[in-house]
Structures are given as C-alpha cells and as structure tokens.
Amino acid sequence: MEYTIKAFTMERLKIRKENPVRSNILLMLADAVKSVTIEERRPETEADFKKAAMKMYQETQNTIAEYKKGGAATDELEAELKVIEEFLPKMLSAEEMEAKAKAVIDGMPEADRVLKNIMPKLKEIEGFDMKQAKTIVEKLTK
C-alpha cells in the first residue's frame, strides 16, 4: 500500500464495512499526518505515517495498561494494536543499532563526538530505538 493520505482514504472507503477497525486506524493515521503536513506546509512522506503509527501504538499500549488496572475489557484496543503494527517501522536489532551508531560516530571529527551532536544523527535512522541510544553511544565513546 502506498503511504499517502489519498491512498489511505481510498483504502478506508473500500473496507469500512467489512473491517471497521482497520478503517478507523487508517482514518486516524491519515488525520495525524494531514495535520502535521498542513502545519509544516509540506507533502506527506512515508516517515510521517510511521511516526504517527509509533505514537498511536504507544498511546494505545498506555490505554490498555490503564484499562487493565481498572479491570475493563481491552479486546477492541488489542485489535487496534494489531492493525497499527502493520504500519510501524521495522526496528533494528541491538547489534544493528550498535553498528549504525559506530558508523555515525566514526564519521564525525574527534572534537564533535559528544552526545548532543550524535543523538540527532541517530534519530534520523529509521528503526533506531532512541530509548537505547544514550547507552549505546556512551558505550562506544568511552
């Protein structure tokens, strides 16, 4: 499937009756990307959809955790999570992240090899888990 607002809308209209959960997810993703691209006055990219999917995934996981604390049913939310997973970027393994971080660090002048200069470059790498980035960078720069 093409990652454009138009493609998501067309897909949503085709499946809205037989798969309402997926239809709702497509609508929410398209709306999230549309608001970002309008605000920044630029066309949408596949990265925008993946970033929106990551945010939705995390929010839905948090909601499920809250529902479980309260003893509420989470079946519908878990079904949504399965649909959102299709749009998430492929996450890198620990070894791949370390190799990419090493390549970024090695490509920088010695004086610039500090956390504040390295982190923005790592953030640009698709699938790089920024929660583990600081640990990896500290390990490689010692």
Side-chain angles (χ1 to χ4, degrees), residues 47-62:
D48 293 327
F49 285 94
K50 291 185 179 196
K51 188 175 181 182
M54 285 289 287
K55 185 176 180 183
M56 280 178 61
Y57 188 80
Q58 291 166 346
E59 288 172 356
T60 306
Q61 281 184 320
N62 292 340

Side-chain angles (χ1 to χ4, degrees), residues 65-124:
E66 291 297 317
Y67 275 36
K68 285 185 177 178
K69 280 183 192 173
T74 60
D75 298 340
E76 192 175 314
L77 289 170
E78 288 171 358
E80 287 180 9
L81 266 186
K82 285 185 174 72
V83 174
I84 296 169
E85 285 173 354
E86 297 174 34
F87 302 101
L88 295 175
K90 180 189 167 288
M91 297 307 285
L92 298 174
S93 69
E95 296 80 27
E96 291 171 319
M97 284 193 297
E98 196 167 315
K100 295 220 182 239
K102 185 168 178 21
V104 166
I105 292 168
D106 290 345
M108 298 175 83
E110 190 72 38
D112 290 344
R113 294 181 184 179
V114 291
L115 204 57
K116 75 173 190 169
N117 295 335
I118 297 169
M119 294 301 265
K121 294 187 186 308
L122 295 180
K123 196 171 188 175
E124 294 172 5

Side-chain angles (χ1 to χ4, degrees), residues 9-24 26:
T9 303
M10 296 296 283
E11 174 75 11
R12 188 179 81 75
L13 292 173
K14 287 180 195 172
I15 65 166
R16 67 180 174 212
K17 285 195 172 59
E18 64 262 8
N19 194 343
V21 173
R22 182 177 173 81
S23 177
N24 281 341
L26 292 173

